[in-house]
C-alpha cells in the first residue's frame, strides 16, 4: 500500500508514503537536463527538464517511484494490483513503457495543461524493463500547484480523472475511492451538535468527536478517506519548516507500523519511506522507517546541465539528539 498527497501553503508540496515488506534498493536520483533518455519505442531524448525523485537504478536508468521536475510538475506511481492492464503497441500513438511513464511526463511538461495534451497521444504499453524487473501494476497521481489528475490504464483503456482532493492510495479504482467520500460528508474538525434526538441529553464529552467514524485501519480505501480528511483540514504556517513539518504529519496519518499488516507468514508491510517534494523549489525531503530525521536533497545545488545521473543514498538509522550527554 502507498498513499500520496498534495499540500499548498506559500509553496506547493507533493509526496507519498511507500509501504511494502521489502525495499528494491532506492536512492534519491537527479536526472539533469542532458542525461539521455532512450525510450524503448519513441527514440532518444537528449535534453529535457531536470528531474529529482526516489528511484531504483538499474543499467544506469532511473526507475522512478515518485519525482518532480524543475518546472513544478510532480507525479507518483502507486500499486494498482489486479486492475492495472497495459496495452500492446499501436501505430500512430506514442508508445511509452509503463516504467518510462514518469520520465516521459516530467521531462517535457511544465504544467498539468501540457500533461493533459501529452496524454492525448500516449499509449502505456506492457514492455517490461527486464526479466529481473517485470511489469509493476501501478496507477499514478500527477499534480502541479493548480490541479491533480489520476491516470489508470485498465482492460477497458486509459482513464484520466480529475483528482479534486489531491490524494491517491491503491485499490479500488479512483472513481470508487472518490465516491466513498460521500459516506463521510458529515465529518468535521468541529465538535458535533446533538441532532440525534433533542430529548436526549447527549454530551460531546471528548474533543475530536466531529471526526468519529473516520476509518482507522490500514486498508487502502480507509487510508484514502483518512488522508483526505487530514489533508483538507490541515492548517500550518507558510514557512518552509512549518509546511514540511505539517506535510509529514498529513502522511503520518496513514503510517504503517511493523506488525499491523501481515502480507505473508511473518512478513509485514511497513512505511519504508515518506517523501515530501517542495515542487516550487525543487527540494526532495524524506524520512524512513528507521530514520525519523528529515533529510533533503536540493536539485538546484547540482549542475543541472550535466549529462550524468546524480545519486544520493537513502540515509538510514535513527539519529537521536541526546540533550544531556
Ligand atoms: C512496491 C511499490 C508499491 C508499494 C505498494 O503499493 N505496496 C502495496 C501492495 S498492495 O497494493 O496493497 O497489495 C512499487 C511503487 C513503484 C514501483 C517501482 C516503479 C519502477 C519500476 C517499474 C518496473 O516495472 C518494476 C520495478 C520498479 C522499480 C517498481 C518496483 C515496485 O513495484 C514499486 C517500488
Amino acid at each position: 500500500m502507498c498513499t500520496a498527497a498534495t499540500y499548498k501553503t506559500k509553496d506547493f508540496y507533493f509526496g507519498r508514503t511507500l509501504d511494502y515488506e521489502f525495499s528494491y534498493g532506492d536512492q534519491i536520483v537527479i536526472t539533469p537536463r542532458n542525461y539521455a533518455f532512450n525510450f524503448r519505442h519513441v527514440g532518444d531524448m537528449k535534453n529535457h527538464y531536470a528531474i529529482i525523485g526516489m528511484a531504483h537504478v538499474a543499467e544506469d536508468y532511473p526507475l522512478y517511484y515518485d519525482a518532480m521536475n524543475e518546472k513544478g510538475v510532480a507525479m507518483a506511481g502507486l500499486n494498482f494490483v489486479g486492475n492495472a492492464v497495459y496495452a500492446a503497441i499501436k501505430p500512430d500513438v506514442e508508445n511509452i513503457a509503463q516504467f518510462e511513464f514518469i520520465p516521459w511526463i516530467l521531462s517535457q511538461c511544465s504544467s498539468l495543461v501540457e500533461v493533459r495534451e501529452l496524454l492525448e497521444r500516449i499509449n502505456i504499453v506492457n514492455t517490461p524493463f527486464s526479466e529481473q524487473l517485470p511489469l509493476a501494476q501501478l496507477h499514478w497521481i500527477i499534480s502541479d500547484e493548480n490541479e491533480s489528475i489520476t491516470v489508470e490504464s485498465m482492460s477497458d483503456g486509459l482513464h484520466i480523472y480529475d483528482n479534486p482532493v489531491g490524494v491517491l492510495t491503491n485499490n479500488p479504482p479512483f472513481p470508487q475511492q472518490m465516491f466513498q467520500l460521500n459516506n463521510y460528508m458529515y465529518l468535521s474538525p468541529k465538535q458535533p451538535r446533538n441532532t440525534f434526538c433533542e430529548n436526549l441529553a447527549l454530551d460531546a464529552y471528548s474533543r475530536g468527536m466531529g471526526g468519529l467514524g473516520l476509518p482507522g485501519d490500514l486498508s487502502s480505501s480507509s487510508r484514502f478517506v483518512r488522508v483526505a480528511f487530514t489533508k483538507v483540514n490541515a492548517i500550518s504556517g507558510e514557512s518552509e519548516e512549518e509546511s514540511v513539518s505539517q506535510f509529514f504529519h498529513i502522511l503520518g496519518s496513514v503510517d504503517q507500523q511493523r506488525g499491523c499488516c501481515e502480507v505473508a507468514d511473518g512478513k509485514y508491510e511497513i512505511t519504508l519511506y515518506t517523501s515530501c517534494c517542495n515542487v516550487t523549489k525543487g527540494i526532495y525531503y524524506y524520512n524512513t522507517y528507521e530514520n525519523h530525521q528529515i533529510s533533503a536533497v536540493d536539485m538546484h545545488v547540482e549542475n543541472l546541465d550535466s549529462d550524468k545521473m546524480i545519486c544520493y543514498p537513502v540515509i538510514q538509522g535513527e539519529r537521536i539528539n541526546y540533550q544531556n550527554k
Side-chain angles (χ1 to χ4, degrees):
M1 296 175 248
C2 302
T3 308
T6 64
Y7 186 57
K8 180 99 175 59
T9 59
K10 191 158 62 42
D11 288 348
F12 176 59
Y13 299 86
F14 174 102
R16 66 100 54 81
T17 57
L18 190 133
D19 305 335
Y20 215 52
E21 62 276 21
F22 66 87
S23 169
Y24 279 75
D26 15 84
Q27 310 180 60
I28 300 90
V29 179
I30 299 165
T31 37
R33 297 173 190 126
N34 295 307
Y35 168 94
F37 279 116
N38 307 315
F39 290 96
R40 297 278 171 106
H41 309 293
V42 297
D44 294 353
M45 187 187 283
K46 295 244 161 57
N47 36 64
H48 51 79
Y49 298 139
I51 300 169
I52 181 170
M54 193 67 89
H56 172 69
V57 175
E59 300 164 28
D60 195 41
Y61 188 88
L63 290 158
Y64 281 115
Y65 313 169
D66 55 276
M68 66 179 144
N69 69 14
E70 57 180 312
K71 293 292 182 181
V73 180
M75 67 189 283
L78 286 80
N79 258 9
F80 194 40
V81 175
N83 281 306
V85 176
Y86 307 112
I89 293 178
K90 283 198 288 228
D92 307 323
V93 287
E94 289 165 335
N95 293 297
I96 302 300
Q98 158 265 334
F99 66 86
E100 298 171 330
F101 188 38
I102 291 182
W104 176 249
I105 295 292
L106 295 185
S107 59
Q108 24 184 354
C109 296
S110 65
S111 68
L112 258 278
V113 176
E114 293 183 12
V115 172
R116 286 178 194 273
E117 282 170 19
L118 207 56
L119 289 176
E120 281 174 20
R121 307 192 296 273
I122 202 174
N123 184 35
I124 303 181
V125 300
N126 56 13
T127 312
F129 180 78
S130 65
E131 228 169 86
Q132 297 73 38
L133 296 170
L135 290 175
Q137 297 187 46
L138 305 174
H139 59 174
W140 293 268
I141 177 171
I142 314 179
S143 308
D144 67 11
E145 65 171 331
N146 299 314
E147 54 174 329
S148 294
I149 60 173
T150 298
V151 178
E152 298 186 334
S153 181
M154 297 175 59
S155 56
D156 60 348
L158 188 69
H159 300 281
I160 297 154
Y161 302 107
D162 290 343
N163 184 334
V165 68
V167 304
L168 187 67
T169 60
N170 309 104
N171 281 331
F174 185 70
Q176 287 159 255
Q177 297 280 25
M178 280 306 290
F179 182 82
Q180 57 154 351
L181 293 183
N182 291 315
N183 298 337
Y184 299 96
M185 61 188 274
Y186 63 91
L187 294 189
S188 165
K190 294 194 173 30
Q191 283 296 72
R193 281 182 309 110
N194 174 13
T195 55
F196 188 94
C197 173
E198 61 181 40
N199 297 332
L200 291 176
L202 301 182
D203 179 23
Y205 58 86
S206 161
R207 293 179 173 187
M209 289 175 71
L212 255 184
L214 186 66
D217 67 279
L218 292 174
S219 67
S220 48
S221 48
S222 293
R223 282 182 289 110
F224 188 93
V225 180
R226 193 157 74 247
V227 78
F229 180 79
T230 310
K231 176 238 159 109
V232 298
N233 290 302
I235 290 171
S236 72
E238 300 236 297
S239 73
E240 185 70 349
E241 287 76 10
E242 288 165 305
S243 306
V244 170
S245 165
Q246 181 71 348
F247 189 88
F248 279 94
H249 283 298
I250 293 169
L251 284 184
S253 72
V254 288
D255 206 30
Q256 299 211 32
Q257 298 79 14
R258 185 181 293 117
C260 295
C261 174
E262 190 172 24
V263 295
D265 247 359
K267 289 219 163 96
Y268 299 94
E269 183 164 299
I270 59 170
T271 300
L272 291 170
Y273 74 82
T274 305
S275 64
C276 167
C277 301
N278 179 328
V279 189
T280 314
K281 294 203 171 71
I283 306 172
Y284 190 94
Y285 299 89
Y286 69 93
N287 65 15
T288 76
Y289 197 86
E290 311 292 349
N291 180 10
H292 281 78
Q293 188 183 29
I294 298 171
S295 302
V297 179
D298 180 348
M299 78 190 295
H300 294 289
V301 169
E302 307 292 334
N303 172 14
L304 292 182
D305 289 322
S306 158
D307 59 2
K308 303 251 169 346
M309 227 162 42
I310 302 157
C311 299
Y312 286 91
V314 171
I315 299 174
Q316 297 287 10
E318 293 291 358
R319 274 130 223 265
I320 294 168
N321 182 14
Y322 288 100
Q323 288 186 266
N324 64 349
K325 67 170 181 170

